């Protein structure tokens, strides 16, 4: 190549180099200009955008409030639990730090040895023993692209603290949750307490009834997170602490509930009954101290959520205990006195309808008090000759049948009471002795409690007090007390009931205490509609001379049929416990009992 050609190629190279240099200089100038612009004009907004991209708001869960008995015994509470989850992308990048020197606060080891693995395998080897999981199974859950994979729920705080010591922040994380725990493991109060759903909201029983009081207020916290999702220390900008739910105190006494439940279950076994119900009510306040049935659904279980207490939801014809309402109406309306005399045959016929007593007998000379003592259907119908249909209906209503108890318990039944205008020729008389309408055990308990409370029907209650998350008083109001019968009429009825209860003194008595009660037996339709079932019940006010408690026991299909024989002894057993537990003074001697025969 000649010199001229070489100079030509050199010129071309220099021109190209110059062009490239100019281009590079222009690019550098542009970058410098852009950088200068960002620093001078956009630095703040860029920093804010970066901070915003790293800032998260994390909710802080509140705990559901507690349910306690009248003495403060905890029946339901929410306890701290955690949901452990993994960031699979962070897991894939995980490289354990070997322990050496003074790096114990950040290194990873297993039994003092290095992990000798990376990624999911390393995390699984570290975490599986703490979670109590199989290493291979856990390793499989850790592999993937998700930023949120749940590894285990309901982890206790002690396990969470052990995970903290593994130094897996950003790789393995957890969320605070809660678990509802109940003292009732044996189904003593399951159908009453009910339960909550997966979100922690009450769906049955007291949990549903008082949900607004028990629900807490969640809080939140804002902070900046690192590349692996971990909180960057010192970056919290604002937080609002959660507020736990309030407290609900029941009128239930847990010790009494336990004893009543046991007595009822023993009675079911002894009598062969299909099921049983028992209620204990404080006379002067209307507070329910025990409410039991023979179901054994543990509180919080699916069974407890699906099956509310039979004492509130199940209704039945009360049978002869309903004669108390009739006697109260006859006395209050002045149609009879307790000493009025009647000659009562075994059966009678009215408007083509035949009524008879539970067992055959000859002509009996009974007072009105005697009719109640002998629980005579025929005598009750005879005494009610001038007792109008409207009066019959009104007194059944006044005593609370066909109405809400005021508890507002989920699934509560009002009972069934048809308008008197629709009663047929038979029903208009059967209602006199507790047939032709239905009531719950709670309602019938309050019938006797009204008589025992000198004729005043108190509103029943099962919530003694309650507060919400803000500390506001949310105690539900019970129905207002209302006078149903005069005090003098109530006193006469108590005397008549004491004579009735004395018939069962050999099987239903409490040493040192007088009992005023009424037994009942009623036929009940089965699934086919035939009257093949029967209810035996007994309701008593104890002590008769100064009533403190009313005890009701109802048994379905017990052997022995009659309520005084089957349910009476259970009432006495419960009553004896109540007298001892609450240190009730012994009764005074009975004087001047109303004559029952003539």
């Amino acid at each position: 190549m000649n010199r001229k050609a070489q100079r030509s190629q050199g010129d071309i190279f220099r021109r190209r180099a110059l062009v490239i240099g100019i281009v590079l200089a222009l690019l550098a100038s542009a970058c410098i200009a852009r950088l200068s612009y960002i620093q001078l004009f956009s630095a703040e907004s860029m920093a804010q955008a970066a901070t915003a991209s790293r800032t998260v708001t994390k909710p802080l869960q509140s705990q559901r409030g507690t349910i306690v008995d009248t003495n403060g015994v905890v029946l339901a509470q929410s306890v701290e639990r955690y949901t452990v989850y993994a960031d699979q992308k962070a897991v894939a990048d995980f490289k354990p730090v070997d322990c050496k020197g003074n790096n114990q606060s950040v290194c990873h080891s297993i039994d003092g040895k290095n992990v000798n693995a990376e990624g999911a395998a390393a995390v699984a080897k570290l975490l599986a023993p703490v979670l109590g999981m199989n290493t291979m199974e856990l390793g499989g859950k850790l592999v993937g692209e998700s930023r949120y994979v749940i590894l285990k729920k309901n982890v206790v705080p002690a396990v969470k603290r052990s995970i903290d010591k593994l130094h897996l922040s950003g790789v393995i994380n957890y969320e605070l949750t809660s678990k509802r725990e109940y003292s009732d493991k044996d189904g003593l109060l399951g159908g009453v307490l009910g339960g909550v759903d997966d979100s922690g909201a009450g769906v049955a029983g007291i949990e549903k009834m008082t949900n607004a009081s028990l629900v807490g207020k969640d809080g939140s916290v804002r902070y900046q997170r690192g590349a692996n999702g971990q909180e960057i220390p010192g970056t919290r900008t604002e937080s609002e602490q959660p507020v736990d739910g309030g407290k609900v105190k029941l009128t239930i006494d847990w010790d009494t509930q336990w004893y009543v439940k046991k007595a009822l279950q023993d009675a079911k076994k002894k009598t062969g009954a299909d099921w049983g119900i028992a209620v204990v009510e404080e006379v002067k306040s209307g507070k329910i101290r025990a409410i039991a049935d023979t179901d054994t659904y543990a509180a919080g279980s699916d069974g407890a959520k699906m099956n509310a207490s039979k004492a509130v939801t199940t209704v039945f014809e009360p049978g002869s205990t309903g004669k108390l309402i009739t006697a109260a109406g006859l006395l209050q309306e002045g149609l009879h006195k307790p000493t009025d005399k009647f000659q009562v045959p075994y059966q009678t016929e009215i408007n083509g309808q035949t009524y008879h007593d539970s067992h055959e007998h000859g002509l009996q000379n009974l007072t009105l008090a005697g009719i109640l003592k002998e629980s005579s259907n025929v005598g009750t119908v005879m005494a009610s000759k001038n007792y109008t249909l409207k009066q019959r209906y009104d007194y059944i209503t006044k005593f609370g049948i066909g109405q809400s108890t005021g508890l507002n318990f989920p699934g509560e039944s009002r009972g069934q009471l048809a308008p008197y205008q629709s009663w047929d020729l038979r029903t208009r008389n059967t209602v006199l002795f507790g047939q032709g309408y239905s009531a719950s055990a709670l309602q019938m308990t309050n019938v006797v409690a009204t008589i025992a409370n000198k004729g005043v029907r108190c509103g029943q209650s099962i919530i003694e007090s309650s507060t919400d998350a803000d500390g506001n008083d949310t105690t539900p109001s019970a129905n207002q007390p209302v006078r149903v019968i005069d005090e003098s009429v109530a006193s006469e009825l108590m005397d008549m009931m004491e004579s009735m209860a004395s018939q069962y003194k050999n099987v239903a008595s409490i040493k040192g205490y007088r009992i005023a009660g009424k037994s009942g037996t009623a036929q009940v339709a089965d699934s086919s509609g035939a009257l093949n079932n029967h209810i035996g019940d007994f309701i008593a006010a104890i002590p008769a001379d100064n009533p403190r408690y009313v005890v009701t026991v109802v048994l379905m299909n017990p052997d022995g049929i009659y309520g005084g024989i089957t349910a009476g002894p259970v009432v006495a057993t419960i009553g004896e416990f109540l007298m001892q537990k609450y240190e009730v003074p012994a009764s005074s001697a009975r004087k001047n009992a109303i004559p029952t025969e003539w």
Side-chain angles (χ1 to χ4, degrees), residues 125-324:
K125 290 173 69 174
L126 289 164
L127 188 60
V130 178
L131 289 181
M133 297 177 66
N134 177 272
T135 303
M136 295 295 290
E137 179 184 353
L138 179 58
K141 288 187 174 184
L142 294 171
V143 176
E145 297 293 322
S146 175
R147 307 306 298 255
Y148 183 90
V149 173
I150 293 177
L151 303 180
K152 197 167 187 177
K153 294 182 177 181
N154 291 323
V155 171
V156 299
V159 172
K160 182 259 185 187
R161 290 192 292 270
S162 295
I163 297 174
D164 287 339
K165 296 177 182 179
L166 297 178
H167 314 308
L168 294 174
S169 177
V171 178
I172 302 300
N173 305 292
Y174 27 73
E175 295 173 338
L176 175 65
T177 60
S178 63
K179 181 181 180 182
R180 199 66 168 163
E181 289 193 345
Y182 299 89
S183 303
D184 178 25
K185 304 297 183 184
D186 301 317
L188 297 182
L189 203 59
V192 175
L193 290 173
V196 299
D197 60 18
D198 291 340
S199 70
V203 293
I206 297 294
E207 291 278 26
K208 180 178 181 179
M209 179 178 165
T210 62
N211 189 64
S213 298
L214 294 170
V215 170
K217 293 184 175 181
D218 292 344
S220 63
V221 60
R222 288 174 62 83
Y223 61 85
Q224 294 181 41
R225 59 184 176 183
N228 290 326
Q230 75 277 18
E231 181 180 347
I232 300 174
T235 61
R236 291 198 176 191
T237 56
E238 58 184 76
S239 63
E240 182 178 352
Q241 293 303 308
V243 180
D244 293 341
K247 176 184 287 188
V248 172
K249 177 186 282 190
L250 305 184
T251 60
I252 301 294
D253 185 316
W254 187 245
D255 291 340
T256 301
Q257 179 72 21
W258 179 88
Y259 191 89
V260 170
K261 183 84 170 189
K262 182 180 184 301
L264 194 61
Q265 289 177 322
D266 289 346
K268 176 186 175 184
K269 185 183 300 183
K270 182 177 180 179
T271 65
D274 294 343
W275 50 259
I277 299 171
V279 177
V280 175
E281 179 177 340
E282 195 171 75
V283 170
K284 296 186 184 303
S285 67
K287 293 179 179 179
I288 305 301
R289 295 304 186 190
I291 180 169
D293 57 54
T294 49
D295 291 338
T296 54
Y297 303 114
S301 67
D302 290 341
K305 297 173 192 176
M306 297 294 292
N307 298 276
S309 170
K310 282 185 171 68
V312 183
T313 61
T314 299
V315 295
F316 51 89
E317 290 189 343
S320 291
T321 52
K323 291 171 183 168
L324 293 173

Side-chain angles (χ1 to χ4, degrees), residues 208-443:
K208 180 178 181 179
M209 179 178 165
T210 62
N211 189 64
S213 298
L214 294 170
V215 170
K217 293 184 175 181
D218 292 344
S220 63
V221 60
R222 288 174 62 83
Y223 61 85
Q224 294 181 41
R225 59 184 176 183
N228 290 326
Q230 75 277 18
E231 181 180 347
I232 300 174
T235 61
R236 291 198 176 191
T237 56
E238 58 184 76
S239 63
E240 182 178 352
Q241 293 303 308
V243 180
D244 293 341
K247 176 184 287 188
V248 172
K249 177 186 282 190
L250 305 184
T251 60
I252 301 294
D253 185 316
W254 187 245
D255 291 340
T256 301
Q257 179 72 21
W258 179 88
Y259 191 89
V260 170
K261 183 84 170 189
K262 182 180 184 301
L264 194 61
Q265 289 177 322
D266 289 346
K268 176 186 175 184
K269 185 183 300 183
K270 182 177 180 179
T271 65
D274 294 343
W275 50 259
I277 299 171
V279 177
V280 175
E281 179 177 340
E282 195 171 75
V283 170
K284 296 186 184 303
S285 67
K287 293 179 179 179
I288 305 301
R289 295 304 186 190
I291 180 169
D293 57 54
T294 49
D295 291 338
T296 54
Y297 303 114
S301 67
D302 290 341
K305 297 173 192 176
M306 297 294 292
N307 298 276
S309 170
K310 282 185 171 68
V312 183
T313 61
T314 299
V315 295
F316 51 89
E317 290 189 343
S320 291
T321 52
K323 291 171 183 168
L324 293 173
I325 299 176
T326 300
L330 294 174
L331 294 172
Q332 182 66 32
E333 293 297 321
L335 298 175
H336 287 293
K337 298 186 295 293
T339 54
D340 284 356
K341 300 175 181 179
F342 300 86
Q343 286 190 314
V344 183
Y346 162 64
Q347 69 178 31
T348 187
E349 183 174 321
I350 301 175
N351 295 326
Q353 301 293 317
T354 300
Y355 306 94
H356 58 78
D357 287 339
S358 60
H359 59 279
E360 292 191 22
H361 59 77
L363 198 65
Q364 294 179 311
N365 293 328
L366 302 175
T367 63
L368 182 63
I371 288 173
L372 190 67
K373 176 183 177 180
E374 296 299 324
S375 198
S376 171
N377 294 340
V378 173
T380 301
V381 172
M382 291 174 61
S384 302
K385 180 179 179 181
N386 297 319
Y387 191 40
T388 68
L389 299 186
K390 185 177 185 304
Q391 288 173 327
R392 300 175 193 193
Y393 177 87
D394 286 346
Y395 277 92
I396 295 173
T397 302
K398 286 178 180 179
F399 274 97
I401 310 304
Q403 303 174 55
S404 170
T405 62
L407 296 182
N408 294 318
F409 191 91
E412 175 186 348
S413 175
R414 294 170 174 261
Q416 296 177 335
L417 176 63
Y420 68 89
Q421 296 91 339
S422 67
W423 291 349
D424 59 26
L425 290 177
R426 186 164 189 81
T427 300
R428 62 184 55 181
N429 285 315
T430 60
V431 296
L432 297 169
F433 47 84
Q435 296 181 18
Y437 65 89
S438 64
S440 69
L442 271 177
Q443 289 173 324

